[in-house]
Amino acid sequence: MTAAAQPAAGVAGPPAWTRRPANLATAVTAELVERIVRGVHPSGSTLPPEPVLCETFSVSRTVIREAVKILQEKGLVQVRQGTGTTVTPPAMWNMLDELILGATIAEDESLAILDDLVVTRRVLESDMANVAARLADDEVIDQLRRMVDQMDELVDDHVTYHDHDRAFHDTVMQASGNRIARAVVRALESQVVNTARYMGRTERALCVASNRGHRRIYERIAAHDPEGAASAMFTHITEAWVVRRSGPGEPTRLRR
């Protein structure tokens, strides 16, 4: 790269696109989200001006303006006349947004963001298990029993086991009738369910232990024991994550 072709100081270079995307605004937005999360454009800094971004991405001003508007909707930037586009603090970012959450997880070597995700799941799903124990009818209880019994037969196939694992949790959530909490959990988990960082260790013994937790949840719901069901869900989610996030022989602890 010649001196003339190099980006100016503080300005990131062009994206590493293998071919020009069909939807340029979407692609530019995704790239800028990653750069902001990585700290290429840190909180409190201003994004490069429109002409520089147009040159960097080889796109029109219209595309850049649309991308910046989307960034603003996600809480990543604030646009003020005369001061440019300022990157906001992480506390203002919409962490339920697919791009932001995905980029944050990819950047976080400490797994702290996944700890936060699990804590959020634990709070919401424990409450939903409490309600499910009060509302579940015989049909739901029988469905949960069949699912737990079937998972006992799937512990040697961790991929299929985890598909059924998610279905079990979703059945409990549906039984609670809390559509908002269920939507939050599903939105969060959809971003991480296929990542090695979240799935962690998958050996047979862990599937066996996991399903013991499912069975305790089912038994407390079948007994119409709201507090017991909530406690069983809380314990199950905590213990499953503590084991998954640790390496072999490396016990760890959920931060809270």
Side-chain angles (χ1 to χ4, degrees):
M1 180 180 289
T2 66
Q6 291 175 356
V11 177
W17 294 332
T18 55
R19 57 182 178 182
R20 195 168 174 81
N23 189 318
L24 290 171
T26 299
V28 170
T29 299
E31 181 69 23
L32 286 173
V33 167
E34 289 189 12
R35 293 183 183 194
I36 289 171
V37 171
R38 293 202 315 266
V40 175
H41 304 301
S43 298
S45 69
T46 57
L47 289 184
E50 272 187 9
V52 175
L53 290 174
C54 289
E55 182 177 357
T56 299
F57 291 98
S58 300
V59 296
S60 68
R61 285 178 179 263
T62 300
V63 170
I64 294 300
R65 287 171 184 170
E66 184 177 349
V68 169
K69 181 181 178 182
I70 297 171
L71 292 177
Q72 191 172 20
E73 292 170 350
K74 294 177 184 295
L76 289 167
V77 300
Q78 289 181 331
V79 181
R80 292 192 179 96
Q81 285 295 109
T83 60
T85 302
T86 305
V87 179
T88 59
M92 297 179 65
W93 300 353
N94 175 14
M95 293 307 298
L96 291 180
D97 179 84
E98 176 180 356
L99 292 176
I100 297 174
L101 181 59
T104 303
I105 291 170
E107 186 66 16
D108 181 21
E109 293 295 335
S110 72
L111 301 185
I113 192 66
L114 288 178
D115 283 343
D116 288 342
L117 185 151
V118 171
V119 167
T120 302
R121 271 194 62 204
R122 185 174 66 183
V123 170
L124 294 176
E125 290 198 51
S126 294
D127 183 76
M128 286 187 277
N130 179 298
V131 177
R134 290 189 273 117
L135 300 182
D137 57 21
D138 290 344
E139 182 179 352
V140 169
I141 291 170
D142 190 52
Q143 182 180 6
L144 291 173
R145 178 189 56 77
R146 291 197 307 271
M147 296 175 89
V148 171
D149 288 345
Q150 187 172 16
M151 280 189 283
D152 275 339
E153 305 300 320
L154 295 172
V155 293
D156 292 308
D157 179 358
H158 73 267
V159 174
T160 305
Y161 174 86
H162 287 303
D163 287 342
H164 285 70
D165 181 340
R166 290 189 290 275
F168 175 88
H169 283 265
D170 195 52
T171 300
V172 174
M173 292 191 290
Q174 288 187 70
S176 77
N178 190 333
R179 293 181 295 168
I180 299 296
R182 176 176 177 249
V184 171
V185 171
R186 285 167 61 87
L188 289 172
E189 217 176 21
S190 69
Q191 303 307 312
V192 296
V193 71
N194 293 317
T195 65
R197 281 182 162 188
Y198 182 70
M199 295 310 296
R201 297 162 56 191
T202 57
E203 53 260 41
R204 182 185 190 277
L206 301 185
C207 294
V208 172
S210 167
N211 208 38
R212 284 199 294 267
H214 294 143
R215 190 169 294 279
R216 285 193 292 269
I217 295 165
Y218 150 70
E219 288 172 349
R220 291 301 88 209
I221 291 175
H224 298 290
D225 174 7
E227 290 186 8
S231 177
M233 182 66 79
F234 187 99
T235 299
H236 165 66
I237 291 176
T238 300
E239 291 181 348
W241 172 239
V242 165
V243 173
R244 288 206 316 275
R245 88 186 294 280
S246 64
E250 297 178 5
T252 188
R253 183 178 303 171
L254 192 58
R255 293 186 300 127
R256 56 187 178 279

